[in-house]
Amino acid sequence: MTGGLLLAAGLVLVGLFTGARQRQTLRALGAEPFLPDVDRAYRRGLARRRTVTSAILVLIGALIAWYYVSGMDARMDAIPERDRSALPDGADDPRPAEDKQFARLVAVYWSVVMGLVFVAVCLAVKDFWATRTYWMARYKELRADHETKLQRDLAVHRQQRLNARVPGLKPPGDDTATDEPPV
């Protein structure tokens, strides 16, 4: 029981902390006037997904805590430990129907918790994929820019070599020329 409550408290604290951080991120994003639209959209989506994930973590933590605090765990533990020998011979115990219904309720309860965990994991995967897509696009831009600069430098180098072969041409950047027209 204490392990479950510690897990629940940890999930709630992590969810609250990350939610507060994402709110700060959204506020800072709104105050940044010179951010490109692509970067702004990426960061806004990232903060929103992480805010939703942190809310789901808080909800999961609250559901786990409620399971232990409400006594559901103790009631589930008591079901197999009941002494059925105290019943008179031939009498049907009315509690098995209640126990079965309660067990179904607990199964649905934990199915909801596991569904929320699945949604949180899906959001984390979406977050990862969005980050990968964004940075791959930035990488391609940098690579194209670098390639353009290399091609320009190569063209300048080839022109310098060509100018060096032809006698009488001044190499680029020669400052011995005057600005005065010939007389």
Side-chain angles (χ1 to χ4, degrees):
M1 178 174 166
T2 58
L5 288 175
L6 287 175
L7 173 68
L11 285 172
V12 168
L13 289 175
V14 166
L16 291 174
F17 176 73
T18 57
R21 292 270 318 227
Q22 296 313 310
R23 283 188 55 180
Q24 287 176 351
T25 300
L26 284 172
R27 265 190 251 123
L29 187 61
E32 179 62 43
F34 302 111
L35 195 63
D37 290 338
V38 173
D39 296 343
R40 185 178 304 279
Y42 163 71
R43 290 182 183 176
R44 184 179 296 120
L46 193 69
R48 286 179 180 168
R49 280 188 300 277
R50 290 181 179 179
T51 301
V52 170
T53 303
S54 65
I56 290 173
L57 286 178
V58 169
L59 184 59
I60 290 170
L63 287 173
I64 291 173
W66 179 253
Y67 178 76
Y68 291 105
V69 171
S70 69
M72 291 173 84
D73 182 52
R75 185 170 171 191
M76 281 300 291
D77 288 343
I79 289 174
E81 297 172 358
R82 288 204 180 131
D83 184 20
R84 304 211 189 276
S85 62
L87 292 173
D89 290 337
D92 287 336
D93 189 2
R95 291 180 291 187
E98 292 174 8
D99 292 344
K100 285 181 184 179
Q101 187 165 349
F102 182 73
R104 282 190 206 109
L105 173 72
V106 169
V108 168
Y109 189 86
W110 282 108
S111 296
V112 168
V113 171
M114 295 310 294
L116 289 171
V117 169
F118 177 75
V119 169
V121 169
C122 286
L123 284 170
V125 169
K126 171 107 172 92
D127 198 34
F128 166 78
W129 196 255
T131 300
R132 181 191 179 282
T133 303
Y134 172 78
W135 284 110
M136 287 305 292
R138 298 299 75 74
Y139 172 73
K140 287 177 183 175
E141 288 174 5
L142 287 173
R143 189 174 66 192
D145 186 45
H146 183 69
E147 185 68 29
T148 302
K149 288 178 183 177
L150 283 176
Q151 291 299 325
R152 184 197 64 212
D153 290 346
L154 182 61
V156 168
H157 177 70
R158 285 181 180 159
Q159 187 63 43
Q160 287 175 347
R161 282 185 46 207
L162 183 62
N163 288 348
R165 289 185 195 163
V166 178
L169 289 179
K170 296 177 195 167
D174 188 9
D175 291 338
T176 58
T178 61
D179 290 337
E180 299 175 11
V183 185

